[in-house]
Amino acid sequence: MRLAALTRAYRRRAPGEPRAIGYLYILPALIVYAVFLLYPFGQSVWLSFVHWDGLTVATPAGFDNYRALFTDPSLRAPFLHALLLLVFYAALPVAIGLLLAAVMTRARVRGMTFFRTVLFLPQVLALIVVGVAWRSILAPDGLLNDVLRAVGLGGLARPWLGDYTWALPAVGVVGTWVGTGLCMVLFLAGAQRIPRELYEAARMDGAGPLREFRTVTLPGLRPQIAVALTLTIVAGLRNFDLIYITTSGGPGNATSVPAYEVYHRAFESNQVGSAAAVGVALTVLIFVLTVTVSRLVEGRRA
Amino acid sequence: MENPMELARTGARRTRGRVVPAALAIGVVLLAAGCVPGTDGSGAAGAGTGAATAIPDPAKAGKTTLTVWDQEIRGGTNGEIQQLNREFERKYPNVRIKRVARSFTDLKTTLKLAVSGNHPPDVIQANQGYPDMVAFVRAGLLAPLDNYAGIYDWNTRYPATLLGLNRVSADGNDFGRGRLYGISQTGEYIGLYYNKDVLQKAGLQPPRTWGEFTDGLARLKDRGELPIQFGNLDKYPAIHTFGVLQDQLGAADARDTVLGRGDGFDNAATKNAAATLADWAKRGYLPGGANGLGYDDAAKKFASGDGAYLLTGTWQLADLKKPMGDKLGIVPPPPAKAGGDPVTTGGQGLAWSITSRSRHPEVAAAYLDFLTDAHAADVMTRHGVLPAVPAKAAAGVSPDSADGQMIAGWKRLSAADGLVPYLDYSTPTFYDTLSAALQGVVSGKTSPDSFAATLQKDYGAYRKKQREQHASAGPR
């Protein structure tokens, strides 16, 4: 009886639909994934419900660590900073990348490969190197201020990384610099896959460059935009190295971000439970944002 | 590229890191002397004098490997440790020292797992203060060393103030008193470095009083020189500068407060010191935008002649002397009256401690003694490192050289009991609170009153928590 039901259920599946045996094939990968990702993540979740200094016996915390995310200004601020940084780490690179890609596909630029490589280069540098270089560029008598003074804009010169108002945007600009190349290369590759006929048709209908971009290029690049946004958002929210090297979260706490806070609390101030809660919250935030992106931009159910 | 990061971070260790290992395995450690580990270590001193036979002999320990984790990776300290390790192994051929040397930050982030793991190192260098030493003691991971202090006469070798910084109360709640959990090799203090050429050009002498120093600042500024070189991007340097200012106004109160028996930070000394720091920044005695300038960058600028003074630790001396040579001078921050007792922020290097589960605590104790005795002090001096207790070789250093000045200053400070511990020892979160608030003071964003209130809030909350722990747990 049960067997018959099973057989019927089995037969009802359309060809190509996943079957139970399929899971066997991915089992090895699943085990690796579980051991190195799911298990540690589960442990982090468990740790986020205790007060623990990393050494002595932990005490249960209930939802204390999570409640603190909303009530403690020193925990709330890093999340707000991270969201603001997304403008620099995700929105701007995608916008600039689109612009560059549109220009590059339309205009015949000599030495195109060269420009593409140069713009992509920040992506292959270790963020440590990027941070150290920008730290000296943004120093009070660094390259940026020197240039400002040389062109008569000395009044704008300031200690960028030590300025309460400007430190966060300054770190953000570094993120824009790193992310733009990747977006541009993605979009260039995507634009090549858009059928030429669409452009020709648009032109026959009398579309100018702007309209052509809006009606042909932009819709054609939807999947690439979704990928670019997902990658840059994740990179932006995970951002630790740049903050660690350039400002350590300062001045004051003006540039602290969740990823830095996780490190700081777990390894420097013996608040392992709180660090785990920040980490879990960050994971949830990244998950929510990437799902939203793929629904909105890519236009399909994730 | 690890290097700049490393550089950017090493300074932090001076405020944040001090280490002390001690173990709760008292029984193992108790030797023939039979002294009971006291709560203040004073009892052990008497027992030590007649207990020569109780000194452990590592030669009889059989084949032994001593695992040691330290963070002395800078030029001078690395050389000194390497030499002493070699000599120890030559003296006791049956003992092998397995050294794991990491940068301060790397050590700090990995030590917690190492000491709480199944095979902890025998000897570690751990940070003094609440985040490291006190946390380790509370978890029972360090062995108390009071009886060794008696056997080896550490109690008389070191001034009480210095030993106090390596103590934790028996209940594991308070830093600065109680059982001894480590012993430090090196001394350090925040000194006033000066560039003789820059001072001379402005017609100034190295200051003998605090008044001479502050009066000279305006004059330097008028002559177009930067009075005080200072970079606070790394957040901690202002802790040193502020500490020196506060010490001028009330050193005894500041020390009591750090050690948890004072009234805290809501007082005139704190506010006036913050006001002075803000005033210096406003008048241009400090570089504009100091919050955006790195600590090491500021030191490099000072070394290249930009700035008459630099207020920072003796650990910078070797690096500054290389480019500056005879132009460099250093004195403790000058006292109010010429010839008076100097006072400054300072203390000692990270403490060397023995883990409670070490299988060779006696060999480890002998090693600690070897690292800190008179011979070791001479080795340190020859490597340009300031020993906590200078010995014969220190007398041979020319008193006019920067090294000689540094040693003389340390002796004066020790004699006058003029060292105030780093302010960030005050509570487990005080480094964050203080360094962030001081960036606000330097930029003129935070008023002295709200600065004092911020510090007091952190301090008061932790004292309250400690009182509750005392009340509920009692002595462990």
Side-chain angles (χ1 to χ4, degrees):
Chain A
M1 179 60 196
R2 274 188 63 217
L3 186 69
L6 271 177
T7 320
R8 241 180 295 130
Y10 183 81
R11 286 209 182 117
R12 264 209 309 272
R13 275 180 215 274
E17 279 289 287
R19 297 175 208 157
I21 197 168
Y23 289 108
L24 206 59
Y25 296 125
I26 60 163
L27 194 63
L30 206 61
I31 289 173
V32 173
Y33 185 74
V35 169
F36 289 100
L37 283 160
L38 295 181
Y39 174 69
F41 182 72
Q43 248 189 343
S44 299
V45 173
W46 178 75
L47 283 175
S48 70
F49 288 103
V50 298
H51 292 300
W52 190 39
D53 63 3
L55 291 167
T56 46
V57 179
T59 53
F63 283 93
D64 279 3
N65 290 326
Y66 288 99
R67 216 171 293 131
L69 295 178
F70 297 95
T71 54
D72 183 349
S74 69
L75 281 169
R76 218 165 33 193
F79 282 93
L80 295 177
H81 296 155
L83 292 178
L84 190 71
L85 277 179
L86 284 187
V87 174
F88 292 94
Y89 280 82
L92 279 179
V94 167
I96 300 174
L98 273 175
L99 186 75
L100 287 172
V103 170
M104 283 184 160
T105 43
R106 250 188 106 79
R108 293 269 159 265
V109 188
R110 273 176 153 267
M112 175 83 154
T113 324
F114 173 74
F115 290 119
R116 228 187 294 180
T117 313
V118 167
L119 284 167
F120 189 71
L121 214 54
Q123 197 66 39
V124 296
L125 291 176
L127 276 181
I128 305 278
V129 180
V130 172
V132 170
W134 276 91
R135 188 174 143 131
S136 82
I137 292 173
L138 296 169
D141 53 358
L143 186 66
L144 177 59
N145 286 335
D146 282 353
V147 169
L148 284 174
R149 288 188 193 105
V151 299
L153 292 172
L156 293 180
R158 61 194 70 236
W160 297 97
L161 294 173
D163 189 296
Y164 276 84
T165 314
W166 289 98
L168 197 60
V171 178
V173 165
V174 182
T176 309
W177 182 77
V178 173
T180 300
L182 172 80
C183 294
M184 183 202 66
V185 169
L186 272 174
F187 299 152
L188 278 176
Q192 277 166 7
R193 291 183 45 216
I194 299 174
R196 292 290 106 195
E197 298 81 37
L198 287 180
Y199 284 101
E200 282 160 22
R203 261 171 236 179
M204 297 236 283
D205 289 346
L210 260 186
R211 204 184 151 82
E212 190 184 298
F213 177 76
R214 229 183 50 224
T215 53
V216 182
T217 313
L218 207 52
L221 286 180
R222 263 193 161 203
Q224 282 77 21
I225 293 177
V227 171
L229 271 178
T230 309
L231 287 177
T232 52
I233 284 175
V234 172
L237 288 174
R238 273 193 345 199
N239 171 29
F240 163 78
D241 344 31
L242 278 182
I243 297 288
Y244 177 81
I245 292 164
T246 52
T247 64
S248 309
N253 294 313
T255 57
S256 65
V257 292
Y260 183 78
E261 209 57 40
V262 172
Y263 161 80
H264 176 64
R265 286 179 182 248
F267 292 113
E268 293 188 336
S269 64
N270 298 352
Q271 299 168 274
V272 179
S274 173
V278 176
V280 171
L282 185 60
T283 311
V284 171
L285 182 66
I286 290 178
F287 185 72
V288 168
L289 281 177
T290 47
V291 167
T292 313
V293 164
S294 54
R295 281 202 182 182
L296 286 183
V297 184
E298 214 168 355
R300 66 172 155 82
R301 310 256 145 205
Chain B
M1 292 323 276
E2 281 168 33
N3 205 25
M5 218 180 108
E6 169 66 51
L7 284 175
R9 282 297 179 153
T10 36
R13 62 182 257 229
R14 297 299 170 177
T15 30
R16 305 174 95 171
R18 342 286 39 229
V19 184
V20 179
L24 288 180
I26 300 164
V28 184
V29 189
L30 285 180
L31 297 171
C35 54
V36 177
T39 50
D40 60 4
S42 55
T49 47
T53 50
I55 291 182
D57 186 2
K60 292 185 186 134
K63 235 174 145 39
T64 305
T65 300
L66 207 59
T67 308
V68 179
W69 283 34
D70 68 61
Q71 51 92 51
E72 304 296 358
I73 54 167
R74 286 198 166 201
T77 45
N78 185 46
E80 159 248 320
I81 295 286
Q82 276 181 340
Q83 181 179 338
L84 289 172
N85 281 352
R86 258 197 321 272
E87 289 178 5
F88 189 79
E89 286 179 329
R90 211 172 304 140
K91 188 171 171 192
Y92 302 110
N94 57 318
V95 179
R96 199 173 75 83
I97 292 174
K98 198 173 140 206
R99 182 183 181 210
V100 180
R102 302 190 163 168
S103 76
F104 169 71
T105 330
D106 287 349
L107 185 76
K108 194 173 160 67
T109 47
T110 50
L111 198 55
K112 225 189 294 174
L113 289 172
V115 285
S116 57
N118 288 331
H119 302 284
D122 300 285
V123 172
I124 61 165
Q125 248 194 316
N127 235 351
Q128 282 99 340
Y130 289 100
D132 296 77
M133 189 192 273
V134 176
F136 289 155
V137 169
R138 196 190 292 247
L141 296 169
L142 298 184
L145 304 179
D146 300 272
N147 53 325
Y148 290 122
I151 294 164
Y152 287 111
D153 285 340
W154 293 345
N155 287 325
T156 46
R157 180 187 298 168
Y158 285 90
T161 320
L162 288 191
L163 279 187
L165 293 176
N166 293 335
R167 293 187 186 282
V168 179
S169 65
D171 60 9
N173 272 333
D174 299 320
F175 157 68
R177 58 174 168 273
R179 290 183 181 136
L180 185 70
Y181 282 98
I183 180 164
S184 302
Q185 236 203 339
T186 59
E188 58 187 43
Y189 64 92
I190 306 296
L192 182 66
Y193 290 91
Y194 54 89
N195 184 325
K196 291 176 188 167
D197 286 4
V198 176
L199 287 186
Q200 205 182 3
K201 256 194 287 172
L204 289 170
Q205 294 287 321
R208 284 162 308 158
T209 66
W210 186 253
E212 276 180 31
F213 164 61
T214 48
D215 290 346
L217 297 178
R219 179 163 177 154
L220 284 159
K221 178 74 187 163
D222 291 341
R223 301 285 169 105
E225 297 287 350
L226 172 67
I228 303 171
Q229 186 56 265
F230 175 63
N232 197 34
L233 178 60
D234 306 278
K235 294 181 114 180
Y236 62 83
I239 297 179
H240 302 152
T241 318
F242 171 78
V244 165
L245 290 171
Q246 199 196 29
D247 294 343
Q248 291 292 329
L249 298 163
D253 285 349
R255 181 191 293 157
D256 283 348
T257 293
V258 176
L259 297 179
R261 43 182 186 240
D263 302 326
F265 291 90
D266 192 11
N267 54 35
T270 301
K271 291 175 194 172
N272 289 340
T276 306
L277 185 60
D279 186 55
W280 281 4
K282 215 170 97 195
R283 286 173 192 265
Y285 295 171
L286 307 174
N291 279 338
L293 180 65
Y295 171 78
D296 287 294
D297 296 332
K300 268 181 225 140
K301 280 162 163 272
F302 175 75
S304 67
D306 186 7
Y309 296 110
L310 179 72
L311 266 170
T312 192
T314 44
W315 56 84
Q316 273 283 3
L317 185 96
D319 289 349
L320 290 172
K321 221 177 73 174
K322 230 177 280 164
M324 294 179 75
D326 292 340
K327 280 190 295 187
L328 181 69
I330 177 177
V331 287
K337 274 191 242 146
D341 287 341
V343 58
T344 188
T345 298
Q348 51 194 349
L350 275 73
W352 297 75
S353 305
I354 303 174
T355 55
S356 56
R357 280 181 294 156
S358 163
R359 293 196 352 248
H360 319 285
E362 293 176 20
V363 180
Y367 177 68
L368 258 51
D369 186 60
F370 188 82
L371 281 184
T372 51
D373 66 8
H375 167 70
D378 287 343
V379 173
M380 283 182 253
T381 304
R382 281 194 285 274
H383 282 270
V385 176
L386 176 64
V389 185
K392 267 203 303 268
V397 178
S398 160
D400 296 329
S401 68
D403 289 275
Q405 283 184 295
M406 170 175 78
I407 295 168
W410 177 250
K411 285 182 175 164
R412 277 208 308 283
L413 285 163
S414 303
D417 203 9
L419 290 169
V420 177
Y422 297 93
L423 295 174
D424 51 296
Y425 290 175
S426 303
T427 81
T429 51
F430 213 65
Y431 175 86
D432 281 344
T433 308
L434 180 60
S435 61
L438 277 171
Q439 283 190 322
V441 170
V442 170
S443 74
K445 191 182 154 83
T446 306
S447 75
D449 283 348
S450 76
F451 170 74
T454 305
L455 302 195
Q456 187 60 33
K457 197 176 148 211
D458 182 314
Y459 188 76
Y462 186 65
R463 293 302 150 207
K464 186 163 165 265
K465 199 174 146 197
Q466 273 185 316
R467 279 195 300 274
E468 284 165 9
Q469 271 166 351
H470 283 304
S472 66
R476 64 189 271 159

